[in-house]
Amino acid sequence: MLTLILLLIPLVASFVTLFLKGESAKWFSLVVTCIQLVFTIYVYQIFIGIDMSSDARSLVNINQAWIKSPQINFQIGLDGISMLMVFLTNLLLPLIVLAGFNRTQDRTHIFYSLVLLMQFALIGVFVAFDGILYYLFWELALLPIYFISLNWGGANRGQITLKFFIYTLAGSLLMLFGFIYLYWNTPSHTFNWLDLTQNPICTCKQGMVFWLFFAAYAIKIPIIPFHTWQPDTYQTAPTQGTMLLSGIMLKMGLYSLVRWLLPVVPSGVEEYTYLAMGLCIVGIVYASVIAIMQTDLKKLFAYSSIAHVGLIAAGIFAANLQGIEGGMAQMLAHGINVVGLFYCADIIMNRTGSNNINNLGGIRLLAPRFATYFMIIVLGSVALPLTNGFIGEFLLLYGLFEYNSWAALVGGLTIILGAVYMLRMYQKVMLGNTNENVNTFEDVKWNEEVVLIAIVLLIFAFGLFPKPMLELVEPASNQIVKLSTIK
């Protein structure tokens, strides 16, 4: 029941927001997302005290027949990795809503209704334990961000958004074929997650399903060469849309590697991990080199994101406890950091009218508080020890090293190259002398400061105290490793 309430709050709020006007839609969305965050913390407190082998698990799990033939259930629930992803979603939504308080938007009520609808769909992806229900939420999550990018995006938004839509829709259809194939080849003829992990199909056929699922997830994450939609979409989408895409939506693909790929087709994973991991690691180096060459802030952050999620995906494919725990920790850290980075880029764009690194400089002299917050977010994104980025990257490299030391060595380049392009960017944008483009740069406003302080506190909180997060995901990670191991 608690999980169902987590789903219903944003859905009902999305509908109500349609009847509100102007500023009231913004404030209502902020209040609802804050209530949702408080309720999520309450659910977390209940969840960590539940013995999942007892009847008490019904507090967070629901399994009701929905369609008789083919057998599809409304099955939702929580385990540690689902709880973490729901927490990430509901943690970032109030910040994303608040980030838009200084921005003027037409049809505000529709914009925020779509944001809340997307929150509903994202939570659905993370709590669904029936394959078709999961697929429906996966597809639903695409629609709000499509309309947000199409209606409130920048130049060439029609062409760029259409490319993004076609890419992700094509990948989704391949995943649907994979689920249908599994359904017919599972003795119980069901889409239940646990039943699908017990499918008896041979290694060859598991390999086919592996590639059907991998294509969908590689597009969403994205993994090179399935990434071409991402930089332009991140640059063109409104900042809040970019925050939703980079902070939460791409985590759907990474989460799905853990939930729906490793344990469902373990033989296929074992057969083709070297290829998938090779793409991830090549992507780390490629995206980092391209990031170094960028002069546009948003595109630099987009390629930086590709490099970071490449390392997360590679660690997950190592399929050991450290790799999966590191992947979950880094998903949380990346979500927080990348939202902060894109928000800083938005503040600079709104003050100067430019995100061109070569046109900026000296902002620290005019906006010292903004410069401090931006610096801390940059340090978190380059995984400085004691920040949130460190623990996840350390565990990912540890897990990769256990799988293959050369993979860990090349994957570790993301830390060195990341420090090069992020610190170089900060030096050019924030340090040095001012110029005519930044002479009127104002320091942060109240809502900007609230968002940035919250992000900075989260960077240090998860960097200094990772234990509760790791304890939350450990039982579910152990289960995934056990199901992914070929007997």
Side-chain angles (χ1 to χ4, degrees):
M1 182 55 74
L2 294 174
T3 309
L4 183 61
I5 296 173
L6 279 171
L7 264 177
L8 290 179
I9 289 175
L11 178 63
V12 174
S14 172
F15 180 74
V16 173
T17 307
L18 286 174
F19 298 95
L20 302 175
K21 299 296 179 186
E23 295 297 309
S24 60
K26 286 184 182 178
W27 281 102
F28 178 75
S29 301
L30 179 62
V31 170
V32 168
T33 51
C34 287
I35 291 172
Q36 176 81 335
L37 175 58
V38 172
F39 185 67
T40 304
I41 295 170
Y42 168 74
V43 173
Y44 165 74
Q45 292 295 331
I46 299 285
F47 174 79
I48 59 176
I50 290 179
D51 178 0
M52 296 304 284
S53 63
S54 71
D55 292 340
R57 65 180 183 275
S58 62
L59 283 171
V60 295
N61 292 342
I62 294 176
N63 188 7
Q64 295 291 326
W66 185 22
I67 298 173
K68 187 176 179 181
S69 181
Q71 184 182 334
I72 302 172
N73 285 11
F74 183 81
Q75 185 179 6
I76 58 174
L78 292 172
D79 62 7
I81 60 176
S82 293
M83 186 73 245
L84 186 70
M85 299 314 296
V86 170
F87 177 71
L88 173 66
T89 304
N90 293 337
L91 177 67
L92 293 182
L93 255 296
L95 301 179
I96 292 171
V97 171
L98 188 58
F101 265 48
N102 283 339
R103 309 288 179 263
T104 302
Q105 289 156 326
D106 60 336
R107 296 164 294 166
T108 308
H109 57 303
I110 297 176
F111 181 87
Y112 285 97
S113 176
L114 290 170
V115 169
L116 291 167
L117 181 62
M118 189 165 176
Q119 184 182 21
F120 161 73
L122 290 166
I123 294 171
V125 168
F126 297 136
V127 302
F129 278 79
D130 180 280
I132 295 302
L133 185 65
Y134 155 81
Y135 173 80
L136 293 176
F137 281 122
W138 174 284
E139 288 289 70
L140 180 59
L142 176 60
L143 294 178
I145 194 63
Y146 170 76
F147 286 113
I148 287 172
S149 301
L150 183 64
N151 288 289
W152 290 273
N156 299 323
R157 59 183 182 271
Q159 183 180 355
I160 291 170
T161 306
L162 180 63
K163 180 179 179 181
F164 159 64
F165 187 83
I166 291 174
Y167 260 64
T168 51
L169 187 63
S172 303
L173 287 175
L174 293 175
M175 179 173 67
L176 179 61
F177 293 148
F179 273 121
I180 294 171
Y181 186 85
L182 286 171
Y183 175 86
W184 285 111
N185 288 277
T186 301
S188 57
H189 290 313
T190 173
F191 293 102
N192 174 279
W193 173 73
L194 202 54
D195 288 343
L196 292 182
T197 64
Q198 307 301 318
N199 74 77
I201 61 178
C202 65
T203 299
C204 177
K205 292 176 180 175
Q206 282 204 16
M208 181 192 69
V209 178
F210 170 88
W211 287 114
L212 291 173
F213 280 21
F214 178 80
Y217 304 150
I219 291 170
K220 190 73 80 178
I221 290 172
I223 293 172
I224 289 174
F226 303 94
H227 69 289
T228 58
W229 63 269
Q230 194 239 43
D232 289 338
T233 305
Y234 280 18
Q235 187 185 34
T236 303
T239 296
Q240 287 165 293
T242 307
M243 289 173 161
L244 286 166
L245 279 164
S246 60
I248 312 172
M249 194 169 181
L250 72 79
K251 308 302 183 300
M252 289 165 53
L254 293 166
Y255 165 84
S256 299
L257 292 180
V258 178
R259 172 72 68 202
W260 294 100
L261 191 68
L262 296 189
V264 172
V265 286
S267 297
V269 172
E270 186 181 67
E271 187 77 9
Y272 295 110
T273 280
Y274 73 98
L275 276 176
M277 189 180 287
L279 288 175
C280 297
I281 291 174
V282 168
I284 291 169
V285 178
Y286 171 81
S288 297
V289 171
I290 299 296
I292 291 173
M293 299 164 61
Q294 292 304 308
T295 56
D296 183 276
L297 267 182
K298 289 184 83 172
K299 279 202 168 182
L300 187 153
F301 295 152
Y303 281 105
S304 163
S305 179
I306 294 174
H308 281 100
V309 297
L311 179 62
I312 298 173
I316 290 172
F317 276 115
N320 51 40
L321 180 62
Q322 291 76 21
I324 292 174
E325 280 193 343
M328 298 308 300
Q330 194 61 3
M331 279 189 238
L332 181 68
H334 179 267
I336 294 167
N337 296 339
V338 78
V339 162
L341 288 173
F342 278 113
Y343 190 44
C344 288
D346 179 65
I347 291 172
I348 292 171
M349 181 68 187
N350 276 280
R351 300 279 202 281
T352 66
S354 173
N355 264 336
N356 189 319
I357 294 171
N358 295 327
N359 292 338
L360 304 170
I363 293 176
R364 180 185 63 86
L365 300 173
L366 302 169
R369 299 205 307 279
F370 174 67
T372 304
Y373 302 138
F374 194 10
M375 185 75 247
I376 294 171
I377 295 169
V378 166
L379 294 178
S381 71
V382 300
L384 190 77
L386 304 183
T387 65
N388 60 347
F390 176 74
I391 186 67
E393 292 210 349
F394 170 74
L395 288 172
L396 286 167
L397 292 175
Y398 187 99
L400 269 178
F401 188 85
E402 195 172 300
Y403 177 82
N404 183 296
S405 57
W406 284 106
L409 183 65
V410 180
L413 289 175
T414 186
I415 296 177
I416 300 169
L417 296 174
V420 170
Y421 59 72
M422 292 302 286
L423 295 178
R424 174 175 163 272
M425 174 278 300
Y426 188 86
Q427 183 180 7
K428 285 192 169 185
V429 172
M430 304 301 292
L431 307 183
N433 297 320
T434 59
N435 58 47
E436 66 275 10
N437 296 315
V438 302
N439 279 339
T440 58
F441 200 100
E442 297 176 4
D443 215 335
V444 286
K445 300 174 182 174
W446 74 269
N447 68 310
E448 295 167 343
E449 190 146 36
V450 170
V451 173
L452 293 172
I453 286 177
I455 290 172
V456 165
L457 291 177
L458 291 168
I459 286 172
F460 286 123
F462 290 112
L464 293 169
F465 307 105
K467 187 179 175 185
M469 170 186 58
L470 296 177
E471 287 180 344
L472 173 66
V473 301
E474 185 174 351
S477 299
N478 269 320
Q479 184 189 23
I480 297 295
V481 171
K482 186 177 177 182
L483 291 169
S484 307
T485 303
I486 307 296
K487 300 180 179 64

